[in-house]
Amino acid sequence: MAKRQMKRPAGMPSAKQVLEFIQTAHGPTGKREIAKAFGLKGQEKIALKRLLKDMAEEGLIDGKTTAYHRMGGVPKVTVLKVVDIEDGEAIAVPENWDSDAPDKPPRLTVKELKGGRGAKGMPALKRGDRVLSRTEETDGGWIAHPMKKLPARSEGLLGVVELDGRGKAWLAPVDKRIRNSSPIADVGEAEEGQLVLCERVGRSERAGVKVVEVIGDPLAPKSFSLIAIAKHGIPQTFPEETSAEAQAATELTLSEEKREDLRDLPIVAIDPADARDHDDAIWAEPDGEGGFKALVAIADVSYYVRPGGALDKEARKRGNSVYFPDRVVPMLPEILSADVCSLREGEDRAAMACHLRINSKGKITSHRFTRAIVRIHHNIAYEDAQAAVDGDNTPEFLGNLWAAWKVLAAARAARDPLDLDLPERRVVLNEQGQIAEIAVRERLDAHRVVEDFMIAANVAAAQALEAKSSPVVYRVHETPSREKLIALRDYLETFGQKLALGQVITPSLFNRMLKDVSDEDEKAQVMEAVLRTQMQAYYGPANSGHFGLALGSYAHFTSPIRRYADLLVHRALVDAYKLEQPKPKVSLPEKSGLSERDRDNLQQITDAISQTERRAMEAERDTIDRYVAAWLSGRVGENFETRITGVQGFGFFATIVGLGGDGLVPVSTLGAEHFRYEEAAQSLVGEDSGTSYSPGDKLTLQLAEANALTGALKFVPVDADGQAIEPRGNRPPPRRGKPSYKKGPPKKGKYAAGKRGRPGNIRHQGRRK
């Protein structure tokens, strides 16, 4: 049927004129704005309505009535969702793109302000963020100018399918911050009890969610890391072009004309027993003058991963490898990370060599960098290296390393870096992927040997690039902010201690503060306070020093297999020391040093990899929490020695000494007495007895709940006989905001932390045989 032709009244714009106006307008463009722009009134407005309807049917504009835009285009002001980070820039798509539209949603480059900050101090964007933006179509494609970061709508979209008494499906979230279940509008092929990934089906939470991926049994071995991978959007599969380029890179040969041959040196790689990739190896021998000649050999990843290639693009996107108890999500394909680049015993490998001269006082007197061929003489686990040194017949190559380390350690002690005793939890799994043990990782001298050699090489890399006026990707740890120091001062006053803010703040100041505290419980409290005072470390091209290590210049150089920041430092060293190799004979980018794009966008790149580092840390921590909760799920009702890690008005958080796992103690469980929250002292204080609960306090608590899916624990206090204290009344806790549903959703389902002993509750699965 032929389309009816609308007679255009005098003064009415043509379809072309309307389209041009929509495309060039600076704000939202609806019927009212179009009519006002062309001076239309009365019957002309009715004609305009028909014109816009025809244009929508012809596919010239979208069919919306409040803010038209060109079909296939983007509204001038709209909500975008960040889907990727490319070359340090956020890539976003329209959040409400019509899924039935013939074209894929356009990808917009979000133009953040200088320094990776958005509008009005908006934090740097990351994958999954929602942002209200002004959009603009340019010759180079669509770009977006962020106006306001919006609350996330994706929270709680990973969870377990539950059925209520009426057979209605609900999504029980696995994020312990999410309290409410969501109705599932489309369950797909998912079954009750399965772990699923969902997406919203409408703008309102009441519209529910639909299942887009079935992950499987939430309690099966290795599910906890899958939960973290899905929740944090960590890419775990490599595109075909990336894998193909990695395969091509394995065909590179080691050109001896351009590499220093160090294969005769007894270089040793000391790593965890279960290490799959070996970035670094070390060697030292006396120089005859009371000092040492030393070598830190690092995998020459920049030789294989060239700027601008598919490998480089994917590595930058990932930013770093992510380590879970049951798996590693590598930054590079395994053919490189676990094979060709890994410094394996008895095999020739490409290395970036840092040559050091260390005097008798542990000072680095000179350093130089070369590209080399190395052949690792031994891959040794930390425990085995320590046992060999402690034995009667210490091998000479290890004896020399330990002797060199002692002078480095003396220099470290003189520098007096921040010394906080922070135990690291280690989850040991059996062959079936089940928890065999959770323990605090033992700290050996072997760990300190490797650590101090790596620090020396990292400092040398930063100083070498500075000396040659080359770009540096610094590892920055800033001095605590004045706001944090004021909070610490106020807190210390509650102990009768003073902190003068007029003095120069150094790590040694904090160290002395801790040494002056003789009472162990009080020292733990002060240590917690000092830890909260510290700033978060990040990567950047501007040097602000490393406060914690008490170093003026510091870069990450020693782990390029698993950190993109280190790869950038290697590329800068290639340029600074003119270490470029001959043009490769395989299909790879020619240059292995820094590209001009890297140099021009170093701030954006470092902002992006700082974000991926935080993402990895959160994912690793979440996974450990889930393993700990699963480990403890069979011990609900037992009493544990705990230490308070944080206090708020609603209660306090405590961790099990020697094991970890933060759990909440609600203020309502502290008994009949009323407790008030004192902000300066960060304490809950009983109004009648004066009993206080403060960070660092040790006390015995009973484990009341352990939810393996969320990683959440809940404790209750006990009396002198070790029995749980009767909670204050049975009144429900105060609501936070409006409830999401009037009726129906299971507030505490079988996969959530409900009452103790509830049949089928997973936190008791350790008790069932």
Side-chain angles (χ1 to χ4, degrees), residues 69 144 192 252 344 355 726:
H69 63 276
E192 183 180 13
L252 286 170
R344 302 203 304 201
H355 297 265
E726 185 69 22

Side-chain angles (χ1 to χ4, degrees), residues 333-618:
E334 287 197 16
I335 195 172
L336 295 180
S337 62
D339 186 5
V340 175
C341 292
S342 188
L343 303 181
R344 302 203 304 201
E345 182 175 326
E347 299 185 21
D348 289 356
R349 287 291 185 262
M352 185 74 75
C354 173
H355 297 265
L356 302 171
R357 292 300 295 265
I358 308 168
N359 67 17
S360 59
K361 295 183 178 180
K363 181 181 179 181
I364 307 299
T365 58
S366 67
H367 49 68
R368 64 185 179 91
F369 291 85
T370 65
R371 266 181 158 161
I373 298 178
V374 298
R375 183 178 297 160
I376 304 305
H377 282 230
H378 299 283
N379 286 118
I380 308 177
Y382 285 112
E383 295 80 4
D384 294 338
Q386 190 66 56
V389 171
D390 293 340
D392 296 331
N393 297 310
T394 301
E396 183 180 14
F397 65 90
L398 287 180
N400 287 338
L401 282 175
W402 256 248
W405 165 66
K406 287 180 180 178
V407 298
L408 286 174
R412 180 189 180 108
R415 200 172 69 242
D416 202 14
L418 191 61
D419 185 16
L420 296 177
D421 184 17
L422 302 174
E424 180 184 356
R425 287 176 290 170
R426 181 172 62 97
V427 176
V428 181
L429 305 180
N430 60 23
E431 294 181 356
Q432 290 74 40
Q434 299 167 333
I435 304 168
E437 179 187 11
I438 296 180
V440 175
R441 192 181 300 275
E442 186 179 6
R443 180 82 166 151
L444 304 171
D445 281 349
H447 293 96
R448 298 181 178 91
V449 170
V450 175
E451 181 180 290
D452 280 339
F453 270 92
M454 297 305 110
I455 290 174
N458 287 337
V459 171
Q463 292 178 345
L465 291 174
E466 288 172 341
K468 293 181 177 291
S469 301
S470 297
V472 186
V473 173
Y474 290 101
R475 180 61 169 177
V476 180
H477 183 221
E478 295 179 341
T479 302
S481 67
R482 181 169 178 82
E483 291 77 13
K484 287 179 176 286
L485 290 171
I486 290 173
L488 177 63
R489 179 197 63 187
D490 294 344
Y491 177 72
L492 292 175
E493 286 180 353
T494 65
F495 288 91
Q497 297 189 30
K498 293 185 178 180
L499 175 65
L501 298 184
Q503 63 185 313
V504 177
I505 304 299
T506 63
S508 60
L509 174 66
F510 293 123
N511 292 338
R512 291 195 305 271
M513 183 187 302
L514 292 170
K515 289 177 182 177
D516 290 341
V517 181
S518 56
D519 182 83
E520 289 301 317
D521 289 342
E522 184 176 327
K523 178 176 288 188
Q525 292 176 321
V526 176
M527 188 177 296
E528 286 285 345
V530 170
L531 181 60
R532 289 193 299 270
T533 304
Q534 302 309 304
M535 306 294 285
Q536 188 171 40
Y538 63 90
Y539 296 106
N543 186 20
S544 296
H546 197 293
F547 177 80
L549 292 175
L551 292 168
S553 297
Y554 192 66
H556 274 169
F557 159 77
T558 55
S559 296
I561 290 178
R562 62 185 180 91
R563 291 189 307 225
Y564 194 79
D566 304 54
L567 178 56
L568 291 171
V569 171
H570 279 234
R571 289 174 178 169
L573 288 167
V574 167
D575 291 340
Y577 280 84
K578 296 181 172 54
L579 302 177
E580 193 66 73
Q581 296 291 297
K583 182 178 179 180
K585 297 180 181 180
V586 296
S587 56
L588 291 175
E590 178 178 344
K591 186 177 173 63
S592 64
L594 279 177
S595 67
E596 290 304 316
R597 189 174 185 180
D598 287 342
R599 292 173 180 270
D600 293 341
N601 295 287
L602 210 53
Q603 180 68 63
Q604 290 178 318
I605 296 170
T606 53
D607 285 344
I609 59 180
S610 293
Q611 290 176 29
T612 60
E613 179 190 44
R614 295 183 195 114
R615 177 181 68 183
M617 291 170 61
E618 291 173 5

